[in-house]
Amino acid sequence: QVQLVESGGGLVQAGGSLRLSCAASGRTFSSYLMGWFRQTPGKEREFVAAIRWSGPNTSTYYADSVKGRFTISRDNAKNTVYLQMNSLKPEDTAVYYCAAGPRGPYYSGRYDYWGQGTQVTVSS
């Protein structure tokens, strides 16, 4: 069993920054991808970014809407993945979820474990 807990959300003005954290506990696999998704009311969860949980594969993946602004990283000693969000826009307002799964990065259905989410609100 894997548990994921997000933190770091909050209210920030447009142009500001936040860093989200996702702490993992329980059984994980070295081949897992760790991903960030976001969701607003009435919409499907949208892919944001993903990274390999561990191992030599350091590939990262980003949605076009966040490239150049968001950076995903990991700290394996702390079992934690981070999402550094810079130059935030009101359109980034959403509940942000971390997820873990063994398959491809872009689709929510390929992730097996999900956190409960953390609210990010960007004011104009």
Side-chain angles (χ1 to χ4, degrees), residues 29-61:
F29 300 94
S30 62
S31 61
Y32 267 33
L33 287 165
M34 299 295 297
W36 286 97
F37 288 75
R38 63 189 183 187
Q39 187 171 28
T40 56
K43 298 180 65 177
E44 293 185 341
R45 291 186 182 182
E46 174 190 15
F47 172 78
V48 177
I51 191 171
R52 289 282 182 181
W53 174 247
S54 64
N57 190 338
T58 58
S59 296
T60 56
Y61 309 86

Side-chain angles (χ1 to χ4, degrees), residues 68-117:
R69 299 189 298 122
F70 292 9
T71 302
I72 189 169
S73 62
R74 66 190 187 194
D75 185 340
N76 294 105
K78 297 182 178 181
N79 293 326
T80 300
V81 63
Y82 303 97
L83 185 68
Q84 178 67 46
M85 306 186 296
N86 299 325
S87 301
L88 283 162
K89 304 175 181 179
E91 302 94 287
D92 297 316
T93 295
V95 177
Y96 283 71
Y97 298 88
C98 64
R103 293 175 288 169
Y106 299 112
Y107 306 103
S108 62
R110 295 183 176 180
Y111 291 82
D112 299 320
Y113 304 98
W114 294 85
Q116 293 301 305

